Amino acid sequence: MSALKTAPPAAPARLSLAMATFLGLVALITALGAGHLVAAFVGYQASAFVAVADFVIAHSPHPVVVWAEQTLGTADKTVLKIGLAVLLVGFAVLAGQLSRSRPLPGQVLVGVLGVAGIVAVYQRTDVGQLALLAPVLATAASLMVFGWLHRRALAPDAGSGAGLTRRQVLQRGAGVAAGAGVAAIVGEVVAGRGSAAGSRAAVGPLVAARKAPPLPPDADFVKLGSPPFITPNPDFYRIDTAFVVPQVRAEEWQLKIHGMVEREITLSYSDVRNRPLVERTVTLACVSNEVGGDLISTANFIGIDLVDLLDEAGVRRGAQQMYATSVDGFTCGTPANVALDPQRGAMLAIGMNGEPLPVEHGFPARIVIPGLYGYVSATKWVTDLEFTTWDERQSYWLQRGWAEQAPIKTESRIDTPASGTSVPAGTVRVAGTAWAQHIGIAKVEVRVDQGRWQQAALSAEVNKDTWRMWWAEVPARSGSHTITVRATDQSGYTQTDHPADPVPDGASGWHSVSFTAR
């Protein structure tokens, strides 16, 4: 008898690399779309993508934070969005590659990412517990879609109805991805209806009982090359830790003042708006501003005197800082003696340049304290003021090595001519800006190359809490030249030429630009 021949066992079914990658990407898109849709109903900040990004911002090591501030500037959020998106795509591709034979390895990886999103949302202070539905349902939807498509793609007999042909898997996967995209769009529309923009539009005009004095006609030298004295709202610099601009409706906003006070106070938006409003012209500056940088702007802010609220609360002796918290969890420590100084002009601001605060600049309310860098004086979307000690609380930037006391340094910059430009030889017009908030600028001097210092003409002083423009004409023969500027404030201090980085309490040094005279 001849021996019976047995067929070799069939090789286990495996997805192709391309199909495995496709399934991983569909699972990712499903998670993002479902999460975005649910977040529209339970709080936009509950989106796992947003929550994880904010978690990265809040827990990044200090050197990384400093590098991002100095290297990326205002593009840091965009870079983070792109980086996080690339990372998620990488994880989605990896989940597919690990699951060519069975879905479990990829599902485990998806589950780990889902848990990370759930933890990130759980730690947020600006959403309720219901917000956990967004990352939970997003993770569940992603796992189900991944498992379902994987089973159909690997079924041994696609023609029997148990499985699907390659074309059918691609069609169904594309359909799921399209549905997730529609869900994301619906979520965006729903979230937009409950956004702060509609609430802001309903606020109406804000009329100050005490208006800022009108600007003198020579407050700036725009025709000579200086910036306009009042910075338009769209051009006002913006530096904050918010990955997505918080959406706070005025009718839902509250401010709590507590801690080392005699009486806790809770204010609504109407409580603030119905008080007599004051308007002040104030220049704000970011501590990250490099010498010659543009992270400085001026606006007419409308609000109420912060010291009046603090007097009503009765701040106790021994309170060292006003610990402010934003709706997104950002914290800021202001020296209590500055906040309580009636001559400082600290404000709880609700308006900016004749209109309610723009959403990206803190609507419904923010803190504005002249003379201090923004990281200790200008909390946007503020919801909580706690009076405490420095030892008891450490704010976001103090934890990262920045200074407790942060008075704005006397500085100046050259706005024109721009560095690297060519100008006609002979007399060259130079213009720029100087600032010494809460002290005032006394004079500005310029020099060409290493020549003698020449005093510049100053614009009219609006107040000591705002910048001051200047201009001068200097001789420049044909060739390359360097112009340098320095300012002296009204205390008699001339800004140092010693260069210092922004960390820990602001940059210093003389600003110079190089140009060619032809």
Side-chain angles (χ1 to χ4, degrees):
M1 293 180 62
S2 61
L4 294 175
K5 294 183 179 180
T6 59
R14 281 171 61 86
L15 298 177
S16 67
L17 287 173
M19 180 61 73
T21 298
F22 175 73
L23 297 188
L25 292 175
V26 171
L28 171 63
I29 295 171
T30 300
L32 295 177
H36 200 66
L37 176 61
V38 178
F41 296 94
V42 299
Y44 190 79
Q45 308 293 341
S47 167
F49 186 85
V50 174
V52 170
D54 279 335
F55 183 86
V56 171
I57 293 172
H59 295 85
S60 294
H62 177 60
V64 174
V65 174
V66 173
W67 176 85
E69 286 282 342
Q70 296 181 353
T71 306
L72 304 176
T74 55
D76 56 347
K77 308 296 188 307
T78 301
V79 172
L80 178 58
K81 289 179 183 178
I82 295 173
L84 185 56
V86 170
L87 183 63
L88 288 175
V89 169
F91 272 109
V93 172
L94 179 61
Q97 300 306 309
L98 293 175
S99 304
R100 294 181 64 189
S101 299
R102 57 195 182 103
L104 183 60
Q107 288 175 318
V108 170
L109 185 56
V110 171
V112 170
L113 290 177
V115 169
I118 292 169
V119 171
V121 172
Y122 178 77
Q123 291 189 348
R124 297 193 68 90
T125 60
D126 55 343
V127 293
Q129 293 183 351
L130 195 62
L132 290 173
L133 283 175
V136 168
L137 294 179
T139 303
S142 181
L143 289 171
M144 287 189 294
V145 165
F146 186 78
W148 172 68
L149 286 176
H150 196 285
R151 287 191 300 273
R152 294 298 182 269
L154 273 186
D157 185 1
S160 68
L164 300 174
T165 65
R166 176 185 174 87
R167 178 186 294 271
Q168 289 172 326
V169 172
L170 292 174
Q171 289 174 341
R172 281 161 175 74
V176 170
V182 171
I185 293 173
V186 171
E188 191 69 27
V189 173
V190 173
R193 291 176 180 173
S195 70
S199 177
R200 178 179 180 269
V203 167
L206 299 173
V207 180
R210 286 181 289 156
K211 294 186 177 182
L215 295 180
D218 55 349
D220 58 38
F221 299 132
V222 173
K223 292 182 179 180
L224 303 181
S226 80
F229 189 85
I230 297 296
T231 309
N233 287 350
D235 299 332
F236 202 99
Y237 84 90
R238 180 196 163 203
I239 294 289
D240 51 58
T241 63
F243 180 69
V244 174
V245 176
Q247 301 292 316
V248 186
R249 295 176 62 81
E251 51 270 34
E252 298 169 357
W253 175 86
Q254 286 188 328
L255 175 67
K256 181 180 179 181
I257 303 175
H258 63 112
M260 298 176 66
V261 297
E262 297 296 336
R263 294 165 295 278
E264 289 190 2
I265 295 176
T266 300
L267 297 169
S268 67
Y269 188 83
S270 60
D271 290 334
V272 176
R273 186 179 179 184
N274 291 335
R275 289 175 176 241
L277 300 178
V278 61
E279 181 182 50
R280 291 197 177 97
T281 308
V282 179
T283 297
L284 298 183
C286 180
V287 72
S288 299
N289 201 31
E290 299 279 359
V291 172
D294 60 358
L295 299 181
I296 180 169
S297 303
T298 300
N300 286 320
F301 290 99
I302 298 176
I304 61 176
D305 285 315
L306 183 61
V307 71
D308 290 345
L309 295 180
L310 304 185
D311 286 345
E312 292 175 21
V315 179
R316 295 174 183 165
R317 288 180 177 273
Q320 297 173 326
Q321 68 163 323
M322 182 179 74
Y323 188 82
T325 302
S326 170
V327 69
D328 67 344
F330 171 79
T331 56
C332 163
T334 304
N337 63 315
V338 177
L340 290 165
D341 181 1
Q343 303 302 316
R344 177 65 63 160
M347 300 174 67
L348 176 64
I350 61 173
M352 182 175 174
N353 289 336
E355 59 186 59
L357 284 172
V359 176
E360 64 271 20
H361 287 292
F363 179 84
R366 68 176 296 170
I367 301 296
V368 173
I369 302 180
L372 301 180
Y373 284 117
Y375 81 100
V376 299
S377 69
T379 306
K380 292 179 278 193
W381 314 288
V382 64
T383 60
D384 190 280
L385 299 177
E386 178 185 0
F387 280 84
T388 183
T389 64
W390 294 113
D391 290 338
E392 185 68 22
R393 290 278 203 169
Q394 272 211 321
S395 59
Y396 179 89
W397 287 112
L398 263 65
Q399 294 175 26
R400 288 156 176 79
W402 298 74
E404 287 179 359
Q405 312 291 326
I408 296 174
K409 295 180 178 180
T410 299
E411 279 292 322
S412 56
R413 76 177 185 213
I414 300 167
D415 292 310
T416 186
S419 189
T421 57
S422 296
V423 300
T427 299
V428 176
R429 180 176 293 151
V430 189
T433 315
W435 56 91
Q437 287 93 311
H438 211 61
I439 300 172
I441 291 292
K443 68 176 180 179
V444 172
E445 298 168 290
V446 297
R447 71 179 182 188
V448 178
D449 302 322
Q450 297 299 314
R452 66 178 182 84
W453 288 103
Q454 172 185 333
Q455 192 161 333
L458 291 176
S459 65
E461 182 181 71
V462 174
N463 64 57
K464 298 185 188 308
D465 291 323
T466 58
W467 55 14
R468 204 165 178 185
M469 314 307 180
W470 58 268
W471 73 279
E473 290 184 337
V474 298
R477 297 177 180 177
S478 296
S480 298
H481 299 282
T482 298
I483 303 177
T484 305
V485 62
R486 69 181 184 186
T488 301
D489 64 34
Q490 294 181 18
S491 74
Y493 169 79
T494 299
Q495 69 177 97
T496 178
D497 63 340
H498 178 71
D501 291 331
V503 181
D505 59 358
S508 66
W510 291 345
H511 185 218
S512 298
V513 299
S514 297
F515 67 97
T516 301
R518 300 185 186 279

mmCIF file of all heavy atoms in Angstrom, residues 222-255:
data_model
loop_
_atom_site.group_PDB
_atom_site.id
_atom_site.type_symbol
_atom_site.label_atom_id
_atom_site.label_comp_id
_atom_site.label_asym_id
_atom_site.label_seq_id
_atom_site.Cartn_x
_atom_site.Cartn_y
_atom_site.Cartn_z
ATOM 1 N N VAL A 222 4.249 106.987 13.881
ATOM 2 C CA VAL A 222 3.992 105.955 12.876
ATOM 3 C C VAL A 222 4.569 106.353 11.522
ATOM 4 O O VAL A 222 5.171 105.518 10.819
ATOM 5 C CB VAL A 222 2.480 105.688 12.757
ATOM 6 C CG1 VAL A 222 2.195 104.745 11.595
ATOM 7 C CG2 VAL A 222 1.947 105.092 14.050
ATOM 8 N N LYS A 223 4.440 107.600 11.150
ATOM 9 C CA LYS A 223 4.945 108.038 9.852
ATOM 10 C C LYS A 223 6.472 107.968 9.777
ATOM 11 O O LYS A 223 7.039 107.933 8.685
ATOM 12 C CB LYS A 223 4.472 109.458 9.563
ATOM 13 C CG LYS A 223 2.964 109.573 9.338
ATOM 14 C CD LYS A 223 2.547 110.992 9.001
ATOM 15 C CE LYS A 223 1.042 111.085 8.754
ATOM 16 N NZ LYS A 223 0.620 112.466 8.421
ATOM 17 N N LEU A 224 7.109 107.946 10.936
ATOM 18 C CA LEU A 224 8.573 107.883 10.967
ATOM 19 C C LEU A 224 9.076 106.456 11.205
ATOM 20 O O LEU A 224 10.287 106.234 11.236
ATOM 21 C CB LEU A 224 9.118 108.813 12.054
ATOM 22 C CG LEU A 224 8.707 110.288 11.947
ATOM 23 C CD1 LEU A 224 9.335 111.096 13.069
ATOM 24 C CD2 LEU A 224 9.130 110.850 10.589
ATOM 25 N N GLY A 225 8.156 105.506 11.407
ATOM 26 C CA GLY A 225 8.589 104.122 11.534
ATOM 27 C C GLY A 225 8.289 103.444 12.846
ATOM 28 O O GLY A 225 8.631 102.268 13.025
ATOM 29 N N SER A 226 7.633 104.136 13.786
ATOM 30 C CA SER A 226 7.294 103.482 15.052
ATOM 31 C C SER A 226 5.964 102.729 14.887
ATOM 32 O O SER A 226 5.200 103.011 13.964
ATOM 33 C CB SER A 226 7.160 104.514 16.174
ATOM 34 O OG SER A 226 5.889 105.159 16.127
ATOM 35 N N PRO A 227 5.666 101.781 15.771
ATOM 36 C CA PRO A 227 4.348 101.136 15.726
ATOM 37 C C PRO A 227 3.282 102.107 16.207
ATOM 38 O O PRO A 227 3.598 103.122 16.850
ATOM 39 C CB PRO A 227 4.505 99.959 16.691
ATOM 40 C CG PRO A 227 5.563 100.379 17.641
ATOM 41 C CD PRO A 227 6.518 101.225 16.851
ATOM 42 N N PRO A 228 1.998 101.829 15.926
ATOM 43 C CA PRO A 228 0.942 102.680 16.481
ATOM 44 C C PRO A 228 0.929 102.564 17.998
ATOM 45 O O PRO A 228 1.271 101.519 18.556
ATOM 46 C CB PRO A 228 -0.334 102.111 15.851
ATOM 47 C CG PRO A 228 0.011 100.710 15.481
ATOM 48 C CD PRO A 228 1.459 100.715 15.112
ATOM 49 N N PHE A 229 0.541 103.645 18.662
ATOM 50 C CA PHE A 229 0.595 103.637 20.122
ATOM 51 C C PHE A 229 -0.330 102.566 20.688
ATOM 52 O O PHE A 229 0.058 101.791 21.561
ATOM 53 C CB PHE A 229 0.214 105.010 20.685
ATOM 54 C CG PHE A 229 0.464 105.097 22.159
ATOM 55 C CD1 PHE A 229 1.713 105.434 22.647
ATOM 56 C CD2 PHE A 229 -0.544 104.794 23.067
ATOM 57 C CE1 PHE A 229 1.965 105.466 24.010
ATOM 58 C CE2 PHE A 229 -0.311 104.827 24.430
ATOM 59 C CZ PHE A 229 0.951 105.170 24.902
ATOM 60 N N ILE A 230 -1.580 102.520 20.219
ATOM 61 C CA ILE A 230 -2.525 101.479 20.651
ATOM 62 C C ILE A 230 -2.439 100.312 19.679
ATOM 63 O O ILE A 230 -2.585 100.479 18.478
ATOM 64 C CB ILE A 230 -3.965 102.025 20.698
ATOM 65 C CG1 ILE A 230 -4.082 103.142 21.728
ATOM 66 C CG2 ILE A 230 -4.947 100.898 21.018
ATOM 67 C CD1 ILE A 230 -3.829 102.712 23.168
ATOM 68 N N THR A 231 -2.185 99.137 20.209
ATOM 69 C CA THR A 231 -2.077 97.942 19.370
ATOM 70 C C THR A 231 -3.472 97.411 19.056
ATOM 71 O O THR A 231 -4.247 97.126 19.980
ATOM 72 C CB THR A 231 -1.281 96.854 20.100
ATOM 73 O OG1 THR A 231 -0.048 97.396 20.584
ATOM 74 C CG2 THR A 231 -1.003 95.688 19.172
ATOM 75 N N PRO A 232 -3.844 97.269 17.792
ATOM 76 C CA PRO A 232 -5.155 96.672 17.470
ATOM 77 C C PRO A 232 -5.271 95.278 18.087
ATOM 78 O O PRO A 232 -4.273 94.547 18.175
ATOM 79 C CB PRO A 232 -5.144 96.622 15.940
ATOM 80 C CG PRO A 232 -4.149 97.659 15.514
ATOM 81 C CD PRO A 232 -3.099 97.658 16.583
ATOM 82 N N ASN A 233 -6.474 94.922 18.492
ATOM 83 C CA ASN A 233 -6.665 93.631 19.157
ATOM 84 C C ASN A 233 -6.106 92.438 18.369
ATOM 85 O O ASN A 233 -5.470 91.564 18.952
ATOM 86 C CB ASN A 233 -8.148 93.412 19.465
ATOM 87 C CG ASN A 233 -8.633 94.297 20.604
ATOM 88 O OD1 ASN A 233 -7.834 94.935 21.288
ATOM 89 N ND2 ASN A 233 -9.934 94.339 20.808
ATOM 90 N N PRO A 234 -6.325 92.370 17.038
ATOM 91 C CA PRO A 234 -5.781 91.210 16.315
ATOM 92 C C PRO A 234 -4.257 91.146 16.332
ATOM 93 O O PRO A 234 -3.678 90.076 16.132
ATOM 94 C CB PRO A 234 -6.312 91.404 14.885
ATOM 95 C CG PRO A 234 -7.502 92.290 15.029
ATOM 96 C CD PRO A 234 -7.166 93.205 16.166
ATOM 97 N N ASP A 235 -3.584 92.299 16.560
ATOM 98 C CA ASP A 235 -2.121 92.342 16.531
ATOM 99 C C ASP A 235 -1.498 92.239 17.920
ATOM 100 O O ASP A 235 -0.274 92.163 18.042
ATOM 101 C CB ASP A 235 -1.646 93.638 15.868
ATOM 102 C CG ASP A 235 -2.112 93.761 14.431
ATOM 103 O OD1 ASP A 235 -2.322 92.713 13.780
ATOM 104 O OD2 ASP A 235 -2.280 94.902 13.952
ATOM 105 N N PHE A 236 -2.325 92.270 18.959
ATOM 106 C CA PHE A 236 -1.805 92.235 20.323
ATOM 107 C C PHE A 236 -1.141 90.880 20.566
ATOM 108 O O PHE A 236 -1.710 89.838 20.243
ATOM 109 C CB PHE A 236 -2.946 92.447 21.314
ATOM 110 C CG PHE A 236 -2.505 92.951 22.660
ATOM 111 C CD1 PHE A 236 -2.588 94.295 22.973
ATOM 112 C CD2 PHE A 236 -2.016 92.081 23.621
ATOM 113 C CE1 PHE A 236 -2.205 94.769 24.214
ATOM 114 C CE2 PHE A 236 -1.617 92.525 24.863
ATOM 115 C CZ PHE A 236 -1.714 93.878 25.173
ATOM 116 N N TYR A 237 0.063 90.906 21.109
ATOM 117 C CA TYR A 237 0.792 89.643 21.278
ATOM 118 C C TYR A 237 0.010 88.680 22.164
ATOM 119 O O TYR A 237 -0.704 89.078 23.068
ATOM 120 C CB TYR A 237 2.194 89.892 21.850
ATOM 121 C CG TYR A 237 2.267 90.011 23.360
ATOM 122 C CD1 TYR A 237 2.478 88.885 24.157
ATOM 123 C CD2 TYR A 237 2.144 91.239 23.999
ATOM 124 C CE1 TYR A 237 2.545 88.980 25.540
ATOM 125 C CE2 TYR A 237 2.219 91.338 25.378
ATOM 126 C CZ TYR A 237 2.418 90.211 26.141
ATOM 127 O OH TYR A 237 2.478 90.302 27.513
ATOM 128 N N ARG A 238 0.178 87.383 21.897
ATOM 129 C CA ARG A 238 -0.483 86.373 22.702
ATOM 130 C C ARG A 238 0.499 85.273 23.067
ATOM 131 O O ARG A 238 1.048 84.593 22.198
ATOM 132 C CB ARG A 238 -1.673 85.754 21.956
ATOM 133 C CG ARG A 238 -2.379 84.680 22.799
ATOM 134 C CD ARG A 238 -3.294 83.783 22.001
ATOM 135 N NE ARG A 238 -3.601 82.573 22.783
ATOM 136 C CZ ARG A 238 -3.999 81.425 22.253
ATOM 137 N NH1 ARG A 238 -4.165 81.318 20.955
ATOM 138 N NH2 ARG A 238 -4.219 80.379 23.028
ATOM 139 N N ILE A 239 0.751 85.120 24.358
ATOM 140 C CA ILE A 239 1.564 84.025 24.882
ATOM 141 C C ILE A 239 0.802 83.424 26.057
ATOM 142 O O ILE A 239 0.477 84.124 27.011
ATOM 143 C CB ILE A 239 2.942 84.517 25.364
ATOM 144 C CG1 ILE A 239 3.777 85.034 24.196
ATOM 145 C CG2 ILE A 239 3.686 83.399 26.090
ATOM 146 C CD1 ILE A 239 4.268 83.960 23.243
ATOM 147 N N ASP A 240 0.487 82.141 25.977
ATOM 148 C CA ASP A 240 -0.142 81.445 27.097
ATOM 149 C C ASP A 240 0.091 79.961 26.930
ATOM 150 O O ASP A 240 0.677 79.519 25.940
ATOM 151 C CB ASP A 240 -1.642 81.766 27.201
ATOM 152 C CG ASP A 240 -2.378 81.560 25.882
ATOM 153 O OD1 ASP A 240 -2.338 80.427 25.365
ATOM 154 O OD2 ASP A 240 -2.991 82.515 25.377
ATOM 155 N N THR A 241 -0.346 79.189 27.907
ATOM 156 C CA THR A 241 -0.128 77.741 27.870
ATOM 157 C C THR A 241 -1.330 76.981 27.318
ATOM 158 O O THR A 241 -1.304 75.754 27.267
ATOM 159 C CB THR A 241 0.183 77.207 29.283
ATOM 160 O OG1 THR A 241 -0.952 77.423 30.129
ATOM 161 C CG2 THR A 241 1.403 77.900 29.868
ATOM 162 N N ALA A 242 -2.379 77.682 26.911
ATOM 163 C CA ALA A 242 -3.604 77.020 26.457
ATOM 164 C C ALA A 242 -3.403 76.433 25.057
ATOM 165 O O ALA A 242 -3.129 77.163 24.103
ATOM 166 C CB ALA A 242 -4.769 77.996 26.450
ATOM 167 N N PHE A 243 -3.542 75.118 24.936
ATOM 168 C CA PHE A 243 -3.415 74.462 23.635
ATOM 169 C C PHE A 243 -4.582 74.863 22.734
ATOM 170 O O PHE A 243 -4.410 75.118 21.546
ATOM 171 C CB PHE A 243 -3.384 72.951 23.832
ATOM 172 C CG PHE A 243 -3.248 72.173 22.553
ATOM 173 C CD1 PHE A 243 -2.074 72.217 21.826
ATOM 174 C CD2 PHE A 243 -4.295 71.393 22.082
ATOM 175 C CE1 PHE A 243 -1.939 71.499 20.642
ATOM 176 C CE2 PHE A 243 -4.176 70.669 20.907
ATOM 177 C CZ PHE A 243 -2.987 70.726 20.186
ATOM 178 N N VAL A 244 -5.776 74.905 23.303
ATOM 179 C CA VAL A 244 -6.969 75.390 22.608
ATOM 180 C C VAL A 244 -7.536 76.527 23.443
ATOM 181 O O VAL A 244 -7.609 76.433 24.668
ATOM 182 C CB VAL A 244 -8.016 74.270 22.444
ATOM 183 C CG1 VAL A 244 -9.307 74.823 21.860
ATOM 184 C CG2 VAL A 244 -7.468 73.155 21.553
ATOM 185 N N VAL A 245 -7.923 77.612 22.797
ATOM 186 C CA VAL A 245 -8.436 78.766 23.522
ATOM 187 C C VAL A 245 -9.663 78.378 24.336
ATOM 188 O O VAL A 245 -10.645 77.862 23.786
ATOM 189 C CB VAL A 245 -8.808 79.904 22.543
ATOM 190 C CG1 VAL A 245 -9.436 81.075 23.291
ATOM 191 C CG2 VAL A 245 -7.569 80.368 21.786
ATOM 192 N N PRO A 246 -9.644 78.573 25.649
ATOM 193 C CA PRO A 246 -10.801 78.222 26.482
ATOM 194 C C PRO A 246 -12.061 78.971 26.040
ATOM 195 O O PRO A 246 -12.005 80.154 25.703
ATOM 196 C CB PRO A 246 -10.368 78.652 27.890
ATOM 197 C CG PRO A 246 -8.875 78.579 27.856
ATOM 198 C CD PRO A 246 -8.499 79.023 26.468
ATOM 199 N N GLN A 247 -13.176 78.263 26.051
ATOM 200 C CA GLN A 247 -14.465 78.833 25.670
ATOM 201 C C GLN A 247 -15.316 78.979 26.933
ATOM 202 O O GLN A 247 -15.919 78.020 27.397
ATOM 203 C CB GLN A 247 -15.161 77.946 24.647
ATOM 204 C CG GLN A 247 -14.374 77.727 23.374
ATOM 205 C CD GLN A 247 -14.239 78.993 22.548
ATOM 206 O OE1 GLN A 247 -15.196 79.753 22.368
ATOM 207 N NE2 GLN A 247 -13.044 79.243 22.044
ATOM 208 N N VAL A 248 -15.333 80.169 27.479
ATOM 209 C CA VAL A 248 -16.059 80.435 28.722
ATOM 210 C C VAL A 248 -17.158 81.439 28.427
ATOM 211 O O VAL A 248 -16.883 82.558 27.980
ATOM 212 C CB VAL A 248 -15.124 80.984 29.817
ATOM 213 C CG1 VAL A 248 -15.873 81.114 31.142
ATOM 214 C CG2 VAL A 248 -13.893 80.103 29.977
ATOM 215 N N ARG A 249 -18.406 81.068 28.695
ATOM 216 C CA ARG A 249 -19.527 81.968 28.469
ATOM 217 C C ARG A 249 -19.665 82.915 29.661
ATOM 218 O O ARG A 249 -19.506 82.510 30.820
ATOM 219 C CB ARG A 249 -20.807 81.174 28.263
ATOM 220 C CG ARG A 249 -20.777 80.317 27.009
ATOM 221 C CD ARG A 249 -22.007 79.455 26.853
ATOM 222 N NE ARG A 249 -23.211 80.262 26.731
ATOM 223 C CZ ARG A 249 -23.624 80.847 25.615
ATOM 224 N NH1 ARG A 249 -22.916 80.718 24.507
ATOM 225 N NH2 ARG A 249 -24.731 81.555 25.588
ATOM 226 N N ALA A 250 -19.965 84.167 29.371
ATOM 227 C CA ALA A 250 -20.060 85.175 30.434
ATOM 228 C C ALA A 250 -21.108 84.791 31.467
ATOM 229 O O ALA A 250 -20.912 84.994 32.672
ATOM 230 C CB ALA A 250 -20.389 86.535 29.822
ATOM 231 N N GLU A 251 -22.216 84.228 31.015
ATOM 232 C CA GLU A 251 -23.301 83.900 31.934
ATOM 233 C C GLU A 251 -22.964 82.719 32.843
ATOM 234 O O GLU A 251 -23.669 82.472 33.821
ATOM 235 C CB GLU A 251 -24.591 83.625 31.164
ATOM 236 C CG GLU A 251 -24.461 82.624 30.039
ATOM 237 C CD GLU A 251 -24.110 83.260 28.717
ATOM 238 O OE1 GLU A 251 -23.356 84.271 28.684
ATOM 239 O OE2 GLU A 251 -24.581 82.750 27.683
ATOM 240 N N GLU A 252 -21.895 81.999 32.524
ATOM 241 C CA GLU A 252 -21.486 80.864 33.353
ATOM 242 C C GLU A 252 -20.225 81.154 34.168
ATOM 243 O O GLU A 252 -19.824 80.347 35.007
ATOM 244 C CB GLU A 252 -21.241 79.635 32.460
ATOM 245 C CG GLU A 252 -22.488 79.190 31.706
ATOM 246 C CD GLU A 252 -22.166 78.161 30.638
ATOM 247 O OE1 GLU A 252 -20.960 77.847 30.461
ATOM 248 O OE2 GLU A 252 -23.104 77.676 29.974
ATOM 249 N N TRP A 253 -19.599 82.293 33.910
ATOM 250 C CA TRP A 253 -18.320 82.617 34.556
ATOM 251 C C TRP A 253 -18.521 83.093 35.986
ATOM 252 O O TRP A 253 -19.484 83.806 36.296
ATOM 253 C CB TRP A 253 -17.610 83.706 33.759
ATOM 254 C CG TRP A 253 -16.348 84.221 34.376
ATOM 255 C CD1 TRP A 253 -15.091 83.698 34.243
ATOM 256 C CD2 TRP A 253 -16.207 85.375 35.207
ATOM 257 N NE1 TRP A 253 -14.183 84.442 34.943
ATOM 258 C CE2 TRP A 253 -14.838 85.482 35.553
ATOM 259 C CE3 TRP A 253 -17.106 86.326 35.707
ATOM 260 C CZ2 TRP A 253 -14.349 86.501 36.357
ATOM 261 C CZ3 TRP A 253 -16.620 87.332 36.523
ATOM 262 C CH2 TRP A 253 -15.260 87.422 36.836
ATOM 263 N N GLN A 254 -17.594 82.714 36.857
ATOM 264 C CA GLN A 254 -17.554 83.214 38.228
ATOM 265 C C GLN A 254 -16.111 83.419 38.649
ATOM 266 O O GLN A 254 -15.202 82.738 38.162
ATOM 267 C CB GLN A 254 -18.221 82.229 39.199
ATOM 268 C CG GLN A 254 -19.738 82.191 39.131
ATOM 269 C CD GLN A 254 -20.338 81.352 40.248
ATOM 270 O OE1 GLN A 254 -19.738 80.373 40.689
ATOM 271 N NE2 GLN A 254 -21.517 81.732 40.707
ATOM 272 N N LEU A 255 -15.913 84.353 39.563
ATOM 273 C CA LEU A 255 -14.598 84.582 40.154
ATOM 274 C C LEU A 255 -14.717 84.443 41.665
ATOM 275 O O LEU A 255 -15.538 85.109 42.293
ATOM 276 C CB LEU A 255 -14.073 85.979 39.814
ATOM 277 C CG LEU A 255 -12.751 86.355 40.501
ATOM 278 C CD1 LEU A 255 -11.605 85.491 39.965
ATOM 279 C CD2 LEU A 255 -12.443 87.838 40.304
#
